[in-house]
Amino acid sequence: MPSPKSAFCSLFTQRKGNPILPSVLNLHSFISFADESKGDDLLPAGTEDYVHIRIQQRKGRNTLTTVQGITDDYDKKKLVKAFKKKFACNGAVIEHPEYGEVIQLQGDQSKNTCQFLIEIGLAKDHQLKVHGF
């Protein structure tokens, strides 16, 4: 019995006598930039994963901003205190069963949070993912 890969190749190479390029049949992918950031020790916490900033609609015009993905190297309560003072909003650290500790801020603070995290050097621009509006 022929292998599934050879059967797959024979189906596409016999179509009207036009063989398909070998690069199309290469099913193994290669990521050229996979090991690029492994040697960079100067990056702050959160480099392995992204910092996710989400906006949730509550009742009416009220919104809630959540920040998830900040590593345990940083004190989240001190970050919330800085957010509250800088953005003039209320906030708290919530223990989420799946995501761990998550920072919640009142209002749509997504742009402010992104700028603040970049300013203090906690995350770079390519590490921030904004979800929502």
Side-chain angles (χ1 to χ4, degrees):
M1 181 171 168
S3 69
K5 186 175 180 181
S6 65
F8 177 78
C9 294
S10 65
L11 283 175
F12 287 103
T13 55
Q14 294 175 0
R15 183 181 269 173
K16 293 188 180 180
N18 295 332
I20 294 181
L21 297 173
S23 63
V24 176
L25 296 176
N26 186 5
L27 302 177
H28 302 288
S29 64
F30 176 72
I31 302 172
S32 59
F33 300 108
D35 294 341
E36 181 179 335
S37 64
K38 284 190 178 180
D40 195 2
D41 295 335
L42 301 175
L43 295 176
T47 55
E48 294 86 12
D49 297 327
Y50 292 103
V51 176
H52 296 277
I53 300 170
R54 293 182 175 86
I55 305 163
Q56 297 174 355
Q57 183 72 37
R58 295 176 60 217
K59 60 181 178 179
R61 292 175 18 187
N62 298 340
T63 56
L64 187 69
T65 303
T66 59
V67 181
Q68 178 250 327
I70 298 175
T71 61
D72 294 334
D73 298 342
Y74 296 96
D75 190 5
K76 292 181 182 64
K77 290 183 181 180
K78 288 184 180 179
L79 275 173
V80 169
K81 188 174 182 180
F83 286 148
K84 288 166 63 172
K85 190 171 187 176
K86 179 95 172 169
F87 308 147
C89 67
N90 200 3
V93 178
I94 305 297
E95 183 67 32
H96 193 273
E98 184 178 349
Y99 301 123
E101 289 184 335
V102 177
I103 297 174
Q104 285 186 346
L105 302 170
Q106 284 184 350
D108 185 3
Q109 306 296 336
S110 59
K111 292 178 185 175
N112 296 335
T113 306
C114 288
Q115 290 174 353
F116 187 75
L117 291 175
I118 293 171
E119 283 175 11
I120 64 172
L122 189 78
K124 293 187 178 181
D125 189 30
H126 61 86
Q127 295 172 329
L128 298 174
K129 296 279 186 177
V130 180
H131 307 277
F133 311 145

